[in-house]
Amino acid sequence: MDSLLNEVSPFSSLLATGSLVDWSAAAVASFALIAAAEIGDKSQLVCMTLASRHRPAPVMLGALAAFAVLNTLAVVFGAAIASWLPEYVVGATVAVLFAVFGIHALRAKDDDDEDEVEERSGHGIFLTTFLLLTVAEFGDKTQLAVVALSSTQAPAAVWVGATVALAMTSAIGILAGRTILQRIPLALLHKLSGAFFLLLAIVAAYQAYGAFTGR
């Protein structure tokens, strides 16, 4: 019985709340920090680009699922999460995913109309968004900030504040993406989004190379 309690006690501390004032302060602090860090960050740009070519609901749900998983891992496992895989492996995986998505966008037919895009968007776009954001944000500064905050404040409050902040920035990106879709021809948008993802792939590949060579 004692051994079972010893195993459970570290995880039970995740639900420790303290006073309502402290819990609220931790949630607000994590919300403000994460929201400020994510404005204009690659995850928001990814949401904007995906939403400009697909229905917003699967993109938003995929983003929420990815950030919920990432924040949960950060709170539960702490700083050890970033050390599970070498940095160059994570970077290389990000580069491959972005490159595949960029090539797919560039190869899209110019005569595809908006109705066809809407029809395809329900098949796999949730999983695409989830995988892109999960791999891209794994070990990112936002996740490390959640790790740091949860080590000094109520972890549950940090999780709530960070997840709400990421949901808000994702929604802003999605709204911007839908606005762009209404003003830019779909063929041009395919090219722009493809080039954007290929650029991200190049940056990720360069970071992976630097991590691999120790530069």
Side-chain angles (χ1 to χ4, degrees), residues 30 41 55 80 105 117 143 193 209:
S30 61
D41 194 57
R55 290 188 300 174
V117 172
Q143 193 180 34
S193 62
Y209 175 77

Side-chain angles (χ1 to χ4, degrees), residues 2-80:
D2 292 337
S3 61
L4 178 61
L5 291 176
N6 291 333
E7 293 179 3
V8 173
S9 58
F11 296 98
S12 63
S13 63
L14 297 174
L15 301 178
T17 57
S19 67
L20 180 60
V21 174
D22 292 340
W23 197 95
S24 301
V28 171
S30 61
F31 174 86
L33 177 63
I34 300 303
E38 281 299 304
I39 293 295
D41 194 57
K42 62 179 178 296
S43 61
Q44 189 181 42
L45 297 177
V46 167
C47 288
M48 181 179 72
T49 304
L50 289 174
S52 67
R53 299 175 54 244
H54 302 283
R55 290 188 300 174
V59 176
M60 188 66 197
L61 291 175
L64 286 176
F67 290 133
V69 170
L70 288 169
N71 288 340
T72 300
L73 290 173
V75 167
V76 172
F77 296 104

Side-chain angles (χ1 to χ4, degrees), residues 121 150 186:
S121 65
S150 62
L186 188 58

Side-chain angles (χ1 to χ4, degrees), residues 134-203:
T134 298
V135 178
E137 294 295 312
F138 188 82
D140 190 64
K141 66 180 185 297
T142 303
Q143 193 180 34
L144 296 179
V146 174
V147 170
L149 287 170
S150 62
S151 66
T152 59
Q153 303 185 52
V158 173
W159 187 92
V160 170
T163 304
V164 172
L166 291 167
M168 182 195 72
T169 56
S170 298
I172 293 174
I174 290 171
L175 179 61
R178 299 306 290 178
T179 303
I180 291 175
L181 180 60
Q182 296 175 359
R183 299 182 179 180
I184 298 180
L186 188 58
L188 176 59
L189 193 59
H190 284 157
K191 301 298 186 292
L192 292 176
S193 62
F196 168 71
F197 277 109
L198 289 178
L199 178 62
L200 287 180
I202 293 172
V203 172

